[in-house]
Amino acid sequence: MTATNASPKRQITVGVLALQGAFSEHIQLLRLAIASLRARKVHDAAAADWSCIEVRTPAELATCDALILPGGESTTMSLVAERSGMLEPLRDFVKVQRKPTWGTCAGLILLAESANRTKKGGQELIGGLDVRVSRNHFGRQTESFTADLDLPFLRTAQAVDTQTNEHPFPSVFIRAPVVEKLLPHMDGIQTEEAAKEETIVAPSKVPKDDVARADFNAHVEIMARLPGRAKALAKNGVTVSEEGEAGDIIAVRQGNVFGTSFHPELTGDSRIHAWWLEQVLAAVEKRQSLAVR
């Protein structure tokens, strides 16, 4: 028999929290994104053995290398997570282990370190992103809307051809939050945030090791904005320089933790999922390479 030196495929499990919300839609787009990675033979990503699972228990969460918190109703998700014993394991996954996590709409609220328009005790946060979110920023369900977004970070995705990545991303906003403020990075509770009325904060957690701490210490990156009044004024030849007029912050990343105000899972467009899977692979490879040193 001829010996083979082929290395075993890297196993990567991506979970989608399935307590409430649009979890099945995320699973569908993850599968499309994985197919794109394989079709375009993206280095390493195409060779990985990907699996996507619905996550409802701590045992299922423990098998995951990465996690998506879907859009839905953040208060309901929080209450179900607390009653089912999932809340602390989720905080451990995101804030202690700093594994790759992506929250969409309600998921972004849960990943924020601070959320306003919320009665204290009304819900719990997981945390992980040093931001304050404004809940239901755009109004009620009847005021939902779609918008074509320019997302520069998609241009780095290898799983989609360059020409396609130049196309605007069709985004869906349903009672969507926005990132109202980037918070100062600190250990411990955001005490100033906790003192505000109708504002809740996530509990502090200590990263488990140097890899997690390095991720914890990363700065928040603004990944996308929804153009606002400044864009409309610019069309009329008026220049607006104030930062607040640049548009609402609708996507942020801090190390391995990523959040979007909108619902990519409701569009049928898998480009963001493909880009995110590439980030997941990079994070998994980084931790594995450091573990063998």
Side-chain angles (χ1 to χ4, degrees):
M1 295 179 65
T2 303
T4 177
N5 294 322
S7 57
K9 284 188 175 183
R10 179 178 283 107
Q11 305 281 330
I12 301 180
T13 300
V14 179
V16 181
L17 189 65
L19 302 180
Q20 190 268 342
F23 52 87
S24 62
E25 290 86 348
H26 269 297
I27 292 284
Q28 292 171 18
L29 284 193
L30 282 170
R31 289 171 178 161
L32 285 176
I34 291 167
S36 295
L37 291 171
R38 289 172 176 159
R40 292 188 61 81
K41 299 181 180 179
V42 176
H43 179 64
D44 289 342
D49 187 3
W50 297 90
S51 61
C52 306
I53 66 169
E54 296 178 2
V55 174
R56 295 182 177 87
T57 67
E60 290 167 339
L61 180 62
T63 68
C64 295
D65 298 290
L67 182 70
I68 293 177
L69 307 181
E73 215 298 312
S74 63
T75 302
T76 301
M77 286 188 199
S78 167
L79 291 173
V80 175
E82 188 173 18
R83 292 170 183 171
S84 62
M86 281 290 288
L87 190 57
E88 285 306 316
L90 285 167
R91 286 172 174 155
D92 181 84
F93 188 96
V94 180
K95 301 185 71 172
V96 178
Q97 301 182 64
R98 295 293 297 190
K99 288 188 175 182
T101 308
W102 172 18
T104 63
C105 195
L108 169 61
I109 294 172
L110 291 172
L111 290 177
E113 286 293 322
S114 172
N116 65 15
R117 300 187 181 185
T118 306
K119 293 182 180 179
K120 297 186 187 299
Q123 78 166 84
E124 297 279 350
L125 298 178
I126 294 168
L129 287 169
D130 286 328
V131 300
R132 180 203 303 152
V133 296
S134 175
R135 293 163 51 99
N136 302 337
H137 178 79
F138 298 104
R140 300 180 179 181
Q141 187 103 4
T142 55
E143 296 168 291
S144 302
F145 63 95
T146 61
D148 289 335
L149 298 177
D150 176 33
L151 301 177
F153 65 88
L154 283 185
R155 297 181 189 127
T156 67
Q158 300 178 59
V160 185
D161 65 84
T162 303
Q163 185 175 2
T164 301
N165 276 339
E166 292 294 333
H167 296 166
F169 189 90
S171 56
V172 179
F173 292 82
I174 303 174
R175 296 175 60 200
V178 297
V179 172
E180 186 174 78
K181 182 180 180 181
L182 306 187
L183 300 176
H185 182 69
M186 62 178 67
D187 288 320
I189 291 288
Q190 296 275 358
T191 52
E192 290 187 13
E193 291 296 303
K196 297 180 183 296
E197 292 186 7
E198 294 192 336
T199 300
I200 56 174
V201 297
S204 59
K205 296 288 181 180
V206 178
K208 74 170 189 175
D209 55 24
D210 289 343
V211 178
R213 178 159 290 280
D215 193 83
F216 168 76
N217 287 330
H219 294 293
V220 177
E221 302 173 69
I222 297 174
M223 305 295 283
R225 291 180 182 267
L226 181 67
R229 191 167 67 93
K231 185 175 182 180
L233 291 174
K235 291 181 179 179
N236 296 323
V238 179
T239 301
V240 179
S241 59
E242 290 87 347
E243 182 180 352
E245 294 295 346
D248 293 310
I249 300 172
I250 55 170
V252 290
R253 177 172 68 174
Q254 185 174 9
N256 285 336
V257 187
F258 177 52
T260 55
S261 298
F262 51 95
H263 293 265
E265 72 274 20
L266 300 182
T267 66
D269 189 326
S270 65
R271 282 180 289 167
I272 298 181
H273 287 75
W275 170 85
W276 183 68
L277 288 178
E278 292 178 31
Q279 314 311 304
V280 169
L281 178 65
V284 170
E285 289 181 335
K286 179 180 179 180
R287 176 164 283 282
Q288 290 179 346
S289 66
L290 292 173
V292 298
R293 288 183 181 178

